[in-house]
Amino acid sequence: MWMDTLEPAVPVVTTLGVIIAGGFAVLFSLRAANRTQQNQITSYLEKHQPYFTYLSIHIDGEERLLPPPGRLEPLELKAIQKKLLEWIETIDGSHRSKLIELCEELGLVELERKRLQSSKHGDRIDAAYHLGVMRAKGCSDDLVALLDQEKEASTAFVVGRAAAKCAANQQDLKKLVLKLVEHHPQSHQLIADIVASSSLDPHSMYSELLQSDNVQHVIVALIGLSACNAPGPLPVLEQLANSKQKEVRIKASKLLLQYSHLLSAERFSLLLAHPDWEIRAAAARTVGEHRLAFYMDALTSALSDDNWWVRHYGAKSFALFGLQGFQALCETASSSEDKLCRETAMDAIRDEMENAALTASQDIKQVLYYNELTFTYQKTFNELYTSPSVQHPRISS
């Protein structure tokens, strides 16, 4: 009876078994083919070892690098490409340029451009990556077009980085940024990192984007300019520092603070007292990092701030002024009526004492500074400082 029930299922099970077996057969054949190809590539790499030796010897010379003699099989050319791309990714300057010219002469750039039109998605992405490594001239538009096909896919960033490396001018970079922002509007930092992989200086392109009506473009520009050697147009940054968009005004203010020597005393004071705690904290941090002694009095207000980060960076900045800042911290910790202010100052005092003790234990030249801190601490608090973790150097009499 139960055998009769199973009879209709037998053909289905048999069919499924055949399909599964066929799938495994295809998988094993693909793995075998791939293994065979890798073995062939390895063999070709060994065969052309004398040629690679020639390249390494002559890459410092003024003459162009010659391609290998004779006709190359497709897989043989692929093996040589593999080695050349590895070298291009590890060197720069004139050496990289000579290898890139060799890739063009070998026809590798043209081969990869054709692969951009492949019906296989994996081949297109692979081709884009290789073109980027070779800094292929004239391929930026093709790569941006491919980027438009990728849209929200994560592979868009692979294509985008390749387009950045192939960009020939500022307009190429701008097209790339606009397209990436269009499909990935929240990936500001990643987009700026991609642009940084270009050999071009993006400063002028970012300066232009600062005046865009698109907030996302402005944010990418602010992030990108923070890694450049110039801040961009100061009047525009001043306007953005007052933007209604919080992220924009914070990033614009932080960028201005990177170039504090260009700011008026009035503007810097406004940043130290800004309504946004992120900006107050950044300003307090800048005072110490840039050793702006003129604003040391303002740091006392930072120690009494409602926000922990503002207090933290205010105290850290005091410590960066050496003995003078340490004395100010001790005075604050001993006389302030604000409990949080006193605790913040004491935390910074302990950190500075610990750091000074550790440094002095490793470098006898630093013992004098540690002694000065110890004397100041003892004079202010009328007690010896004892460390829980570091054996302090002996104070000389």
Side-chain angles (χ1 to χ4, degrees):
M1 186 73 178
W2 60 271
M3 289 293 291
D4 293 339
T5 307
L6 288 176
E7 278 184 13
V10 172
V12 176
V13 172
T14 302
T15 302
L16 288 175
V18 171
I19 292 173
I20 292 172
F24 276 115
V26 171
L27 177 63
F28 287 133
S29 64
L30 288 175
R31 290 184 63 181
N34 182 66
R35 191 181 300 111
T36 300
Q37 186 182 79
Q38 292 303 317
N39 290 337
Q40 287 180 300
I41 289 176
T42 301
S43 175
Y44 283 133
L45 287 173
E46 293 175 356
K47 172 186 174 181
H48 287 282
Q49 190 57 48
Y51 176 66
F52 299 136
T53 301
Y54 152 77
L55 293 179
S56 63
I57 292 174
H58 290 82
I59 197 168
D60 290 319
E62 296 182 1
E63 301 82 8
R64 68 181 182 86
L65 297 174
L66 300 175
R71 181 178 176 277
L72 298 174
E73 297 294 332
L75 200 57
E76 196 171 4
L77 185 60
K78 186 174 182 178
I80 293 173
Q81 179 189 40
K82 174 182 171 66
K83 176 63 72 173
L84 293 179
L85 297 190
E86 287 176 359
W87 283 356
I88 289 173
E89 283 291 74
T90 56
I91 62 177
D92 55 16
S94 60
H95 292 167
R96 173 187 284 174
S97 298
K98 293 183 74 171
L99 290 175
I100 289 173
E101 291 175 5
L102 177 59
C103 287
E104 292 176 355
E105 186 172 353
L106 286 170
L108 296 175
V109 171
E110 190 58 34
L111 284 174
E112 298 298 351
R113 290 191 73 163
K114 290 179 180 178
R115 290 181 70 211
L116 284 180
Q117 311 305 321
S118 172
S119 59
K120 297 179 180 179
H121 180 257
D123 285 350
R124 295 196 299 271
I125 301 303
D126 190 53
Y129 171 75
H130 287 162
L131 287 171
V133 174
M134 293 186 288
R135 276 70 174 172
K137 298 175 182 177
C139 291
S140 182
D141 287 342
D142 293 339
L143 291 168
V144 171
L146 178 59
L147 181 63
D148 208 21
Q149 298 175 27
E150 295 301 304
K151 298 187 183 299
E152 289 80 18
S154 60
T155 47
F157 297 117
V158 177
V159 179
R161 193 172 296 277
K165 291 178 178 180
C166 294
N169 51 53
Q170 299 293 319
Q171 283 305 111
D172 285 348
L173 281 182
K174 185 177 179 181
K175 289 178 186 177
L176 170 62
V177 171
L178 297 184
K179 190 61 66 177
L180 284 170
V181 171
E182 177 184 344
H183 296 307
H184 301 269
Q186 301 305 315
S187 302
H188 307 128
Q189 184 63 60
L190 182 53
I191 293 172
D193 289 342
I194 286 172
V195 173
S197 65
S198 170
S199 59
L200 301 174
D201 182 356
H203 182 270
S204 61
M205 183 269 295
Y206 281 140
S207 296
E208 183 181 344
L209 285 181
L210 281 182
Q211 303 179 60
S212 170
D213 294 330
N214 188 311
V215 173
Q216 309 305 329
H217 296 168
V218 174
I219 292 174
V220 171
L222 289 169
I223 293 173
L225 283 170
S226 67
C228 292
N229 295 322
L234 288 178
V236 177
L237 289 175
E238 294 274 3
Q239 293 177 2
L240 294 174
N242 297 316
S243 171
K244 294 181 180 179
Q245 297 284 339
K246 182 175 181 178
E247 187 174 3
V248 170
R249 65 174 178 265
I250 289 174
K251 284 182 166 52
S253 297
K254 288 184 176 181
L255 183 54
L256 285 171
L257 287 168
Q258 286 183 223
Y259 301 89
S260 56
H261 60 286
L262 301 178
L263 301 181
S264 65
E266 180 183 4
R267 163 54 76 178
F268 198 97
S269 297
L270 289 174
L271 294 175
L272 277 168
H274 199 279
D276 294 323
W277 69 262
E278 295 92 341
I279 295 176
R280 295 198 305 276
R285 184 178 187 176
T286 300
V287 172
E289 289 182 344
H290 293 191
R291 306 298 192 275
L292 305 176
F294 180 79
Y295 300 101
M296 280 188 68
D297 290 342
L299 286 181
T300 305
S301 299
L303 289 176
S304 301
D305 200 276
D306 292 337
N307 183 271
W308 183 88
W309 283 108
V310 180
R311 298 196 303 274
H312 171 75
Y313 283 123
K316 289 294 184 184
S317 285
F318 265 126
L320 290 172
F321 282 98
L323 184 60
Q324 182 185 5
F326 186 81
Q327 290 171 339
L329 285 171
C330 288
E331 291 172 6
T332 301
S334 64
S335 61
S336 176
E337 297 179 358
D338 186 328
K339 180 182 177 183
L340 291 177
C341 178
R342 293 196 307 272
E343 290 178 351
T344 302
M346 280 304 303
D347 287 342
I349 289 169
R350 294 189 190 98
D351 287 345
E352 185 65 8
M353 291 290 291
E354 294 297 302
N355 291 335
L358 180 60
T359 304
S361 68
Q362 299 171 347
D363 184 358
I364 194 170
K365 294 179 181 179
Q366 300 301 317
V367 171
L368 177 60
Y369 177 64
Y370 171 72
N371 288 348
E372 290 174 333
L373 297 189
T374 303
F375 176 76
T376 301
Y377 182 92
Q378 183 176 350
K379 180 181 176 181
T380 304
F381 300 103
N382 197 30
E383 64 180 28
L384 292 172
Y385 178 77
T386 54
S387 168
S389 58
V390 179
Q391 184 178 357
H392 295 170
R394 182 175 299 173
I395 303 175
S396 58
S397 57

